Amino acid sequence: MSPWRWVVCVLLMQATVINYMDRMALNQMAREIKVAFGLSNAQYGQLEGAFSLAFALGALGTGYVVDRVSVRWVYPLMVVGWSGAGIATGFAGSFGALLTCRFALGLFEAGNWPCGLRTTRAVLRPEERSFGNSLFQSGTALGALVTPMMVLVIVRRAEANGGPDTWRVPFRVIGCLGLVWVALWFLAVPKRLLATPGAASDGARGETRFRAIFRDPRFWVLFVAVIAINVTWHGYRSWLPLYLQEQRGYTREEMSAFTTAYYLVADVGSWTVGLATLVLCRRGMGVHTSRVLMFGGCAALALGTAAVPFLPGGWPLEFGLLAVAFGALGLFPTYFALSQELSAQHQGKVTGTLGAAAHLSLALIIPVEGWICDETKSYEWVLGGIGVGPLAALVLMVWLWPRGTETAG
């Protein structure tokens, strides 16, 4: 249990920051891209759907690969792939090219989670995993936090230089950051910290076939949970900037400022859940009880999204959205820690399969959300309903998850 394990977790967080910066650039430039290509909300939803479909395929593929090939090599290859797709987005000349770039981005970005969770599973104790995973997952909020202002600065500088199609420049700049991370990964992560695939303790106990996972009721609890929490989180990621600008009258600068605050609070939520779980465990509360308690609190906050359509503008709306942000990202560290209880031997495949289920669902749901927004001329029908799922996942977690199943390795 080397102290260097926390440095590894920080590197995982940094990779997730870059991952989300590449992803969030589209959301921040959504209005400009819709104008440049003449897109409806339904077509914009197709871009999100293509990303999610590719993400599902990439999660499955990477999950199988990372259980067989050292994560030390698979991870940087994924980062190089998604960075290249991000750069290519800045050169897309048609809606079809843009769709292709988003598909490629999703295909490679999906590798971040099977690789990251295999890594934290290898280097952290069970009681440390919620906190380690909160560091890892907080990169999503940090990436989303820095992207609005970074994109705004890049676009303003490009506009000052008088260049055409200034929306393209952020994609090119952000895409280059992943190459720097790859160099840091090889310099900072010693081989000895990462377990050799196939040598994990579950194999020693005789669990050699992945299909045995599907007979475990815990897998189906996680199946519901991963879809529910991703629908909440990605629903806001996809539609919040457009909602603020087109329905609530925010300027581009006001939207960027508030989404920065939104993701800052989300990041605090992720860290708080991980740290609180670790503190509760060290004070004698059971590992599973601590996790479920944290998940329940975050599910209650996420449910607050049902009030969003009824909140007046100004601080009531913004306070409500920030509460949702805290809960929506705070759900993930607990989900990740629970997924690490199923199998060390098949950790990559478990993560990949569950991630694929979530993003296949998003590939179907987000275009439908876009259609609903077009038909109702409002984003509030979508935002008001996407926070219910985590509560259903909590009920299943309490009902079906067996006690005392935490693994030691």
Side-chain angles (χ1 to χ4, degrees):
M1 302 304 297
S2 167
W4 204 249
R5 68 192 186 277
W6 298 112
V7 175
V8 175
C9 290
V10 171
L11 275 175
L12 300 182
M13 178 182 68
Q14 291 172 343
T16 310
V17 167
I18 297 168
N19 183 293
Y20 249 68
M21 290 177 71
D22 279 310
R23 187 184 311 192
M24 288 290 297
L26 183 80
N27 306 118
Q28 293 301 305
M29 291 286 96
R31 197 171 189 179
E32 290 80 0
I33 290 171
K34 284 174 66 179
V35 172
F37 291 98
L39 306 182
S40 65
N41 281 322
Q43 288 175 304
Y44 177 76
Q46 289 173 19
L47 291 176
E48 293 285 357
F51 175 89
S52 294
L53 176 61
F55 199 102
L57 297 174
L60 282 174
T62 308
Y64 275 83
V65 170
V66 83
D67 282 339
R68 292 165 171 78
V69 182
S70 172
V71 70
R72 192 167 185 268
W73 295 101
V74 178
Y75 210 162
L77 286 174
M78 295 297 104
V79 177
V80 169
W82 84 56
S83 298
I87 293 169
T89 303
F91 294 93
S94 66
F95 176 67
L98 192 61
L99 201 67
T100 301
C101 289
R102 294 303 287 182
F103 187 90
L105 185 72
L107 200 64
F108 287 103
E109 283 202 345
N112 188 55
W113 280 267
C115 291
L117 290 182
R118 173 162 277 286
T119 303
T120 59
R121 179 68 167 74
V123 303
L124 298 176
R125 300 183 182 96
E127 66 273 16
E128 296 174 332
R129 288 175 192 158
S130 288
F131 183 56
N133 290 333
S134 74
L135 293 176
F136 169 44
Q137 180 65 13
S138 72
T140 62
L142 285 173
L145 171 67
V146 301
T147 302
M149 299 310 296
M150 183 174 180
V151 166
L152 187 60
V153 169
I154 294 171
V155 169
R156 282 178 171 173
R157 180 166 295 183
E159 289 173 345
N161 293 332
D165 292 334
T166 54
W167 66 266
R168 298 178 182 275
V169 182
F171 292 96
R172 300 170 186 173
V173 173
I174 293 170
C176 294
L177 297 178
L179 306 180
V180 178
W181 182 89
V182 170
L184 291 175
W185 173 260
F186 283 119
L187 287 172
V189 178
K191 295 179 182 179
R192 63 184 175 81
L193 282 185
L194 299 180
T196 303
S201 60
D202 284 8
R205 289 197 295 269
E207 184 190 341
T208 59
R209 295 185 181 276
F210 175 59
R211 64 172 178 261
I213 298 294
F214 298 106
R215 296 195 293 270
D216 190 331
R218 296 177 298 171
F219 176 86
W220 298 106
V221 173
L222 294 173
F223 182 88
V224 173
V226 72
I227 293 173
I229 66 179
N230 276 280
V231 165
T232 302
W233 175 253
H234 289 287
Y236 269 89
R237 179 188 61 80
S238 299
W239 303 112
L240 182 60
L242 289 170
Y243 171 60
L244 293 175
Q245 287 181 279
E246 296 184 4
Q247 193 161 340
R248 291 288 187 158
Y250 282 53
T251 65
R252 183 174 68 182
E253 289 73 17
E254 289 170 340
M255 178 275 292
S256 295
F258 179 74
T259 53
T260 298
Y262 179 90
Y263 290 113
L264 175 62
V265 171
D267 192 49
V268 172
S270 178
W271 281 69
T272 300
V273 167
L275 185 59
T277 304
L278 181 60
V279 170
L280 289 173
C281 290
R282 290 185 172 175
R283 291 188 175 183
M285 184 178 287
V287 174
H288 183 73
T289 302
S290 302
R291 291 170 177 172
V292 172
L293 183 63
M294 291 297 103
F295 192 93
C298 290
L301 289 174
L303 187 61
T305 191
V308 167
F310 307 101
L311 295 175
W315 72 264
L317 174 68
E318 293 182 353
F319 181 82
L321 291 172
L322 293 178
V324 171
F326 187 101
L329 194 64
L331 293 162
F332 282 86
T334 298
Y335 159 74
F336 288 145
L338 291 173
S339 75
Q340 290 169 319
E341 298 301 327
L342 296 189
S343 170
Q345 182 183 8
H346 301 298
Q347 179 65 65
K349 291 187 284 294
V350 167
T351 304
T353 302
L354 291 170
H359 283 271
L360 280 174
S361 299
L362 291 173
L364 297 173
I365 291 170
I366 291 179
V368 172
E369 290 175 348
W371 176 82
I372 292 171
C373 293
D374 281 337
E375 290 298 309
T376 62
K377 310 300 181 186
S378 171
Y379 296 95
E380 290 181 337
W381 288 89
V382 170
L383 295 181
I386 58 177
V388 177
L391 188 62
L394 174 66
V395 171
L396 290 179
M397 201 175 291
V398 173
W399 181 25
L400 295 177
W401 198 279
R403 302 296 184 268
T405 55
E406 296 85 5
T407 57

